[in-house]
Amino acid sequence: MNENRKKIVVLSGAGISAESGIQTFRDSDGLWENYRVEDVCTPEALARDPELVIGFYNQRLAQVLKAKPNPGHTALVELEQKYDVRIVTQNIDDLHERAGSSNVLHLHGDIRKKRSQVDPDDIEDIIPLEKGIQMGDLDRYGKQFRPHIVFFGEAVPNIEPAAKLVEEADIVLIIGTSLNVYPAAGLMYYARPDAKIYYIDPKAESAKGLDKRVVCIAGKAGTAVPEMVRQLMEEA
Ligand code: OAD
């Protein structure tokens, strides 16, 4: 490990997985066009109708299992040859890991896992993944397992380690997020004053409330990320 390598933190959102066939949330025909957040992504929804919530996330899991990493995910792996790369993702899919990225921190959970409703540290793999979480799959307290997803209204346990990574970064790459959801959307503000910040998203230029330093690159992850990576590899 070369300690002098520059540090890159990638802040990724649903847009990086769009070209892999995974629906985003807020684009036209995004998930939140067809479902109400309060029906499927809150602790109250889970208490009221666990079958609906668990079924919704089993569908998300089925979609993820069919998807493959795209050139946006794989280009980020190449960066590890010359940089210390940390990925902080809002995504619950495992496409960064399957592409081969070494350091991935999930802010909003991991669709491949289930969690006890009693002990938040009891997190287990869903086995077999194809079946998803079954109704009647109980934790050691005899309570139904829930998806390992951070619901709206819940704390984001990984936000502190994520903020620390951003504080240490020389370069921050924000990719494919509408920057609507906090605290994730505020992470860029932890960057040092001399850090370079790039924002790759088809709608980058219309984003509001961006840090003044942010360089916007309007484009799709599958093409704009490999281009950015080529540039960064030359600069390293
Ligand atoms: P959104 O659906 O809010 O935003 C998706 C972003 O991806 C938009 O800015 C699009 O312009 C962009 N996009 C679409 N296609 C793209 C492509 N091919 N390449 C690059 N960008 C593209 O998704 P997030 O910002 O990730 O949380 O949403 C944040 C959180 O809201 C999610 O983690 C999820 C959701 O509710 C929970 O469920 C807790």
Side-chain angles (χ1 to χ4, degrees):
M1 171 81 91
N2 179 350
E3 292 304 322
N4 297 324
R5 290 192 305 175
K6 285 195 173 166
K7 294 190 162 91
I8 296 186
V9 170
V10 176
L11 303 176
S12 69
I16 197 168
S17 297
E19 287 156 89
S20 295
I22 299 178
Q23 268 170 296
T24 63
F25 297 92
R26 294 176 185 78
D27 286 305
S28 58
D29 209 33
L31 273 173
W32 296 152
E33 292 266 297
N34 301 311
Y35 293 90
R36 292 182 341 145
V37 169
E38 52 274 32
D39 288 341
V40 291
C41 192
T42 63
E44 294 77 21
L46 181 68
R48 195 172 51 236
D49 194 342
E51 203 162 348
L52 177 74
V53 173
I54 287 169
F56 172 78
Y57 283 101
N58 283 344
Q59 283 175 25
R60 308 281 67 75
L61 176 58
Q63 198 176 42
V64 167
L65 292 178
K66 277 195 252 150
K68 292 192 176 66
N70 68 56
H73 299 101
T74 46
L76 295 173
V77 183
E78 202 185 318
L79 278 179
E80 293 188 18
Q81 292 167 17
K82 294 201 178 170
Y83 293 89
D84 176 348
V85 182
R86 307 299 167 113
I87 306 223
V88 174
T89 187
Q90 295 175 78
N91 298 345
I92 56 176
D93 67 55
D94 62 342
L95 295 183
H96 284 299
E97 288 94 335
R98 275 198 262 150
S101 283
S102 313
N103 291 294
V104 184
L105 184 68
H106 287 268
L107 285 176
H108 293 161
D110 183 337
I111 192 67
R112 297 166 303 170
K113 297 182 190 295
K114 59 187 181 182
R115 184 165 90 220
S116 162
Q117 297 194 57
V118 183
D119 174 5
D121 293 326
D122 181 5
I123 300 164
E124 297 178 21
D125 292 335
I126 297 172
I127 300 172
L129 279 172
E130 291 68 28
K131 286 203 165 162
I133 300 177
Q134 301 289 298
M135 290 308 291
D137 184 0
L138 308 180
D139 64 11
R140 77 176 90 109
Y141 304 94
K143 229 176 154 210
Q144 173 68 44
F145 269 109
R146 61 167 278 178
H148 179 43
I149 302 291
V150 174
F151 292 147
F152 282 89
E154 294 185 321
V156 178
N158 281 338
I159 199 70
E160 279 186 31
K164 193 159 182 305
L165 288 175
V166 177
E167 274 170 7
E168 293 167 355
D170 299 291
I171 301 168
V172 179
L173 301 182
I174 306 168
I175 306 171
T177 169
S178 63
L179 296 169
N180 262 289
V181 174
Y182 284 81
L187 280 171
M188 73 178 101
Y189 296 100
Y190 288 88
R192 291 195 319 255
D194 63 328
K196 288 186 185 158
I197 311 179
Y198 300 94
Y199 177 29
I200 299 174
D201 190 294
K203 297 180 188 154
E205 277 151 357
S206 54
K208 301 211 168 60
L210 288 180
D211 188 297
K212 283 198 296 293
R213 293 168 291 166
V214 177
V215 177
C216 290
I217 299 165
K220 291 188 171 187
T223 43
V225 174
E227 270 168 38
M228 180 87 238
V229 167
R230 260 194 298 281
Q231 190 186 314
L232 290 168
M233 292 297 275
E234 280 170 19
E235 285 171 12

